[in-house]
Amino acid sequence: MSYAGRTLFRNGRQHQIIAGAIHYFRVHPEQWQDRIDRLVALGVNTLDTYVAWNFHQPEQGVAPDFTGWRDLARFITMAGDAGLDVIVRPGPYICAEWDNGGFPAWAISGRDMALRSSDPRFTAVVERWFDALLPVIAPLQAANGGPVVAVQVENEYGSYGDDQEYLRWNRAALRARGITEMLFTADGGTDYFLDGGALPDTWAAATLGSRGDESDAVWERRRPGEPFFTVEFWNGWFDHWGEDHHTRSSTEAAAEAAKILDVGGSICLYMAHGGTNFGLASGANHDGALQPTVTSYDSDAPIAEDGALTAKFHAMREVFLAAQGREPEPVPAALLEPAAVLPEAAVALEAGMGLLDFVRAVERVRSVKPLSFENLGLDRGLVHYSATAVLPRGDGTIKLRGLHDRAYVWVDGTFVGVLTDATGADGLTVQGTGAPAALEILVENQGRINYGPLFGQGKGILDGVLVNQRYVFHWEQRAVNLELPLERLLAQDTGAGTGAGTGAGTATGAGASGFFHGEFHVDRPADTHLALPGFGKGMVWVNGFLLGRYWEIGPQHSLYVPAPLLREGPNALTVLELEHGGEGAQLLAAAQLGSTHATHVEDLG
């Protein structure tokens, strides 16, 4: 690709990028082809994807993995074989509502490291990642007969910093490792974002959800001679736990997309198909308190989480075909058929090992002050802290300074309450006797921050624990890695009958916390949607695969279970409940993503 006079060219011919984003790491690999086929039917000519570093290299000292679900080259090649160009956005920062903005926690946990800057401690670790990643992408470029036509430099840097030296380093690192196709930056559609994130000699793209024609005028003034490209057009939005499910009018979104195309601009739908934040991969934002993102990344996209073609699909398709001068043609009938689903059914669940029994069985690490997740070498999951403290006679307050994110607190085996990053410093009032008491605190990492100035924050108890104004010293920590193979996690679980276990107190007093186990029979694998009525908060596995988080506060009340995770015959269901368990699970025919909040054009500038 090239450009001149605000016009984009592809192999010397005038061109508009009409793209849709699909992230390979959010779609089961056995469904890649299906989702790509649906993207083609949408009328686009390009697929866009981020690359999530922590998906490929979660552990320090272990080489990045580009096989199986992580086979980025296969995903790109499949898109090319379907007739699509491909845009790759390797970051290393991707935001994307993805845990830690795509970074492995170990890579950026250096206390004095200046993140996303020209600090050599930061660029050195990124260089090693690029040394592994870019040889995967480079052979797939258009110059080599592949589908990759453009690669992004960093990502929305104008929302974070102003280190132009770092941006130039990022660009040079791509070029030095064989990236020869078009490079571009991406930032919000105003002067402010361009000030920090754009480079004078690199194509600048925009990220926005509305008023694209106004941003085009900014580009004409600030970036003369450059074609306007909205590399993220937010035609939908994501959800945090505790909010309503966000939707956006198909008519409004399509009209805003048309404005960009009508001024000759290029566009990429973010997302065309959102997929799922499987496992513990969902990130979090922060606005006075942590805002963890839900497991579903449906994002009210044209292609729904389960692959269904929505009203927005047809509205966007009409706009895209018109912009290309293509005659409308029927969508392939096979794509219009709803995906097969399992019959609705109830699944009985039996209680297994209690929560505290489970975490107490993990190997302990001793310290004077509480250790963070990073100190313990743990990226995601839980840390159990225990110490002996003298609680003053009568009322006293247990305070957690630097709590990230959510803590369950027990005194002498009795559950006393929950603290969060917003309430930890205020603490919990407890009754003491003036004698030593056993203090236990279980901290959950609800997702690392993926956007804003707090990006890169640690997890756990980062300062200390106070009884009134007095620090408690001498702690034992147990790091619970929930991403280990399930059989290893369950090795100490003797199965049903152990019930709540010792001190498995609950946040509400209803039901037990801990493991629950069940089984359901499948005649022929098909999609389903798993609900856990009566359960509070936790994680769920299907056939040993960590499906994701659930939380009764919603908006999401069912988890998408793609057919490739199931098998003919018995299928195992395992739940780790942190608060209060219910009696069983439900297999539903349709998703329950919650009551909706309509996102309007003025919300997405």
Side-chain angles (χ1 to χ4, degrees), residues 161-352:
D162 64 358
D163 190 345
Q164 295 287 295
E165 181 182 342
Y166 165 59
L167 289 179
R168 289 192 292 272
W169 171 86
N170 188 292
R171 181 181 61 192
L174 297 174
R175 289 295 190 214
R177 290 163 179 79
I179 301 302
T180 59
E181 297 295 334
M182 181 80 79
L183 296 181
F184 66 95
T185 58
D187 288 287
T190 68
D191 287 287
Y192 171 82
F193 296 111
L194 285 174
D195 290 342
L199 289 169
D201 49 357
T202 301
W203 189 22
T207 62
L208 50 85
S210 66
R211 296 185 285 277
D213 49 346
E214 297 176 21
S215 295
D216 176 66
V218 173
W219 256 248
E220 189 170 16
R221 170 171 50 83
R222 289 287 301 269
R223 311 290 299 189
E226 288 188 10
F228 185 60
F229 175 28
T230 302
V231 69
E232 286 188 19
F233 173 72
W234 307 318
N235 68 136
W237 205 244
F238 59 93
D239 299 332
H240 296 130
W241 291 111
E243 299 177 347
D244 288 335
H245 172 51
H246 291 80
T247 61
R248 186 178 186 187
S249 158
S250 301
T251 302
E252 178 196 80
E256 288 292 323
K259 289 180 183 179
I260 295 168
L261 295 169
D262 287 347
V263 297
S266 292
I267 193 169
C268 176
L269 298 185
Y270 191 95
M271 300 291 296
H273 170 62
T276 308
N277 295 314
F278 291 113
L280 305 179
S282 53
N285 290 296
H286 199 286
D287 185 12
L290 193 80
Q291 300 169 301
T293 300
V294 303
T295 300
S296 172
Y297 203 61
D298 177 83
S299 301
D300 194 36
I303 304 167
E305 185 176 14
D306 62 358
L309 305 185
T310 68
K312 190 173 292 179
F313 174 94
H314 297 286
M316 286 295 183
R317 184 174 189 266
E318 183 177 345
V319 169
F320 291 166
L321 295 180
Q324 298 170 84
R326 294 169 55 185
E327 290 295 325
E329 55 190 39
V331 176
L335 300 182
L336 293 173
E337 290 291 325
V341 295
L342 297 181
E344 293 198 344
V347 181
L349 295 173
E350 289 191 66

Side-chain angles (χ1 to χ4, degrees), residues 549-604:
R549 299 179 176 94
Y550 64 88
W551 196 354
E552 64 183 346
I553 67 172
Q556 180 179 2
H557 290 290
S558 68
L559 299 180
Y560 174 55
V561 184
L565 294 179
L566 303 178
R567 55 195 178 218
E568 290 186 8
N571 289 258
L573 182 61
T574 302
V575 178
L576 177 58
E577 169 60 47
L578 302 179
E579 299 190 354
H580 57 89
E583 294 183 357
Q586 294 177 346
L587 305 181
L588 305 177
Q592 292 185 351
L593 297 181
S595 58
T596 60
H597 167 79
T599 301
H600 297 291
V601 62
E602 60 268 18
D603 301 324
L604 296 169

